[in-house]
Amino acid sequence: MKILIDLDSLLYVALYRVISFKQIREFMQKGYTKEKIAEIIVLEADSRLGNLCLGFLDEVASLGHDFESGDVEYFMTSNIFSARKIISSTYKANRKSNKWVVALRQHISNSQQATISLEWEADDLIADRARELNYDCLVCSIDKDLNQIPGWKFDLYKEKTGEVNDYGKEITKYRGLHYISEEDANRLLWLQMLTGDAADNIKGVHGIGKVKAEKILTNRNPFIAVAKTYKEHFASKWREVFITNHRLLKIGIK
């Protein structure tokens, strides 16, 4: 089985406190340039990223999913261009650029460790790859948007367990493995069409949250239910808003 890994959110995890201020001061005392310190930070984060991947791949293997090293594929957003920002200038306009994430992305891109696109995001590449594989794959990601892909998913979000280890440190564990039905995968897109996606600065229908959206979709054709709701709220502009939001929210290039 192919393992498709979304590196985007893991970049932030790999960079979190990767080097302390004390270490940076020590480097400066040794006469290291800013460029040299930046290189050390990026290389250390890249090493940590590799260890993160090995860690959860071991857990995937322990759950009975057999794979070989050649079955593991990595995907990443390049952030060079953005097809979605051409569609909507407000897309992800609420996000600030992180220079260290940009540097780590560039390092990974240069070393060709991941599949990237100049215009499309890791989500889109993974969605298309999963479709090519007829969904005979395991998607590994923190991103909820990848729940639009039916099949097996290993959720990389770590939750607190309420327990501590022998050193008094709180134990966390991955949300882990679960199966997403085709119906649930499709339903997520239509829920987002109604509620929007605050993380990506995509506006849905004003006044509609998750509970109301669920009610609108209950026992109804989701396409017709959402189209009718858009027509009621956006009047003559409803088709334009519907098409724009659908393209922004639906993952996949094709």
Side-chain angles (χ1 to χ4, degrees):
M1 175 181 280
K2 292 289 186 181
I3 311 292
L4 311 182
I5 300 178
D6 171 21
L7 291 181
D8 279 355
S9 50
L10 293 177
L11 302 180
Y12 294 86
V13 178
L15 281 162
Y16 182 67
R17 295 182 177 178
V18 64
I19 288 182
S20 67
F21 287 116
K22 180 181 178 181
Q23 288 174 298
I24 292 175
R25 284 195 297 270
E26 290 173 352
F27 290 147
M28 294 178 70
Q29 289 169 1
K30 290 178 181 179
Y32 286 18
T33 63
K34 290 182 179 179
E35 291 75 16
K36 179 63 177 178
I37 295 173
E39 180 184 0
I40 291 171
I41 291 172
V42 169
L43 290 175
E44 182 63 28
D46 185 43
S47 176
R48 184 189 281 186
L49 181 63
N51 289 332
L52 281 169
C53 292
L54 288 174
F56 65 72
L57 283 172
D58 283 344
E59 189 160 340
V60 167
S62 73
L63 294 171
H65 283 263
D66 297 326
F67 61 91
E68 298 178 1
S69 58
D71 293 328
V72 182
E73 301 177 9
Y74 301 89
F75 299 83
M76 186 184 72
T77 301
S78 70
N79 271 355
I80 296 175
F81 302 111
S82 172
R84 285 184 174 83
K85 286 185 178 179
I86 294 173
I87 295 169
S88 172
S89 61
T90 61
Y91 177 70
K92 289 188 176 180
N94 54 337
R95 297 197 187 186
K96 294 181 180 179
S97 178
N98 182 312
K99 68 175 184 179
W100 295 113
V101 172
V102 171
L104 183 53
R105 284 186 195 277
Q106 187 61 54
H107 171 75
I108 294 171
S109 177
N110 291 343
S111 56
Q112 299 182 333
Q113 298 175 52
T115 299
I116 64 171
S117 164
L118 295 180
E119 300 174 283
W120 298 95
E121 300 172 30
D123 297 4
D124 303 304
L125 301 175
I126 292 172
D128 283 4
R129 180 61 174 140
R131 191 180 301 111
E132 287 176 4
L133 296 167
N134 199 27
Y135 303 108
D136 182 22
C137 58
L138 173 64
V139 174
C140 298
S141 178
I142 294 175
D143 195 340
K144 69 181 187 312
D145 292 339
L146 286 168
N147 289 341
Q148 287 185 28
I149 302 173
W152 289 105
K153 183 181 181 185
F154 191 89
D155 193 329
L156 298 174
Y157 185 81
K158 278 199 165 183
E159 296 179 310
K160 296 178 180 179
T161 63
E163 301 175 351
V164 296
N165 60 23
D166 294 339
Y167 302 98
K169 185 177 180 180
E170 189 162 28
I171 298 172
T172 59
K173 68 175 183 178
Y174 295 115
R175 281 180 178 165
L177 194 67
H178 62 278
Y179 187 82
I180 301 170
S181 69
E182 188 172 350
E183 181 182 356
D184 286 342
N186 185 54
R187 188 178 183 81
L188 174 61
L189 171 63
W190 297 112
L191 282 171
Q192 290 179 311
M193 285 286 288
L194 292 170
T195 64
D197 187 338
D200 290 341
N201 201 36
I202 301 171
K203 308 297 182 185
V205 180
H206 181 71
I208 295 182
K210 185 176 180 181
V211 174
K212 193 169 183 178
E214 290 276 10
K215 186 176 180 181
I216 290 171
L217 296 179
T218 299
N219 299 322
R220 299 173 70 186
N221 178 295
F223 173 82
I224 294 174
V226 173
K228 183 177 179 180
T229 304
Y230 268 59
K231 189 173 182 179
E232 291 171 352
H233 284 76
F234 296 109
S236 61
K237 294 184 178 180
W238 80 268
R239 287 185 179 84
E240 178 186 346
V241 179
F242 183 98
I243 292 170
T244 297
N245 278 0
H246 191 270
R247 178 61 277 192
L248 292 177
L249 290 163
K250 184 174 175 58
I251 63 174
I253 300 171
K254 301 173 183 177

